[in-house]
Amino acid sequence: AATGREFTSQEIAALSTVAMSGSVAEVLALGQAKGGENDLLELNGLLRRSKDFVGAAKQQELTRWGALAAFNLIKANMDTYERLVQAFKEKKSVAECVAVIEGQ
């Protein structure tokens, strides 16, 4: 995303899911998310760039929605997720990780 560009509500919803996916994956794998604070800070910065004002209550709602959407995506694609985790453990390149996600 370009620096300073405002995001639509649809983009904010998608970015909320992406921002929360790492923490959700950590919880699924380890039972807790140690890196979640940085994810929340990043999401907070994205929310401030929304075209529409996002107050505290809406920020909390979007954060929860993003976490739920990430959870549902990971659970629905658990086989791919597990292959991706294995690729990370093997220190595969970004291109190789994308190929895992794409099923190649």
Side-chain angles (χ1 to χ4, degrees):
T3 303
R5 183 172 79 78
E6 291 184 331
F7 296 111
T8 67
S9 58
Q10 284 183 315
E11 289 172 319
I12 288 292
L15 290 167
S16 296
T17 303
V18 172
M20 296 307 299
S21 63
S23 294
V24 170
E26 270 191 271
V27 169
L28 287 170
L30 308 173
Q32 63 181 338
K34 293 187 177 185
E37 186 175 333
N38 288 334
D39 296 336
L40 291 171
L41 289 172
E42 181 67 23
L43 179 55
N44 187 44
L46 294 170
L47 292 171
R48 280 192 249 130
R49 291 175 40 201
S50 174
K51 287 182 180 179
D52 302 316
F53 174 75
V54 181
K58 183 70 173 173
Q59 284 185 21
Q60 198 169 48
E61 178 185 318
L62 284 165
T63 301
R64 288 180 179 140
W65 183 89
L68 177 62
F71 174 82
N72 288 334
L73 281 168
I74 292 169
K75 289 300 257 183
N77 296 283
M78 188 54 77
D79 290 344
T80 301
Y81 166 72
E82 289 173 352
R83 287 193 306 275
L84 181 60
V85 168
Q86 186 58 41
F88 286 158
K89 287 178 181 177
E90 295 171 7
K91 301 186 185 304
K92 301 279 186 180
S93 69
V94 172
E96 289 170 314
C97 290
V98 169
V100 167
I101 293 168
E102 293 176 344
Q104 299 174 2

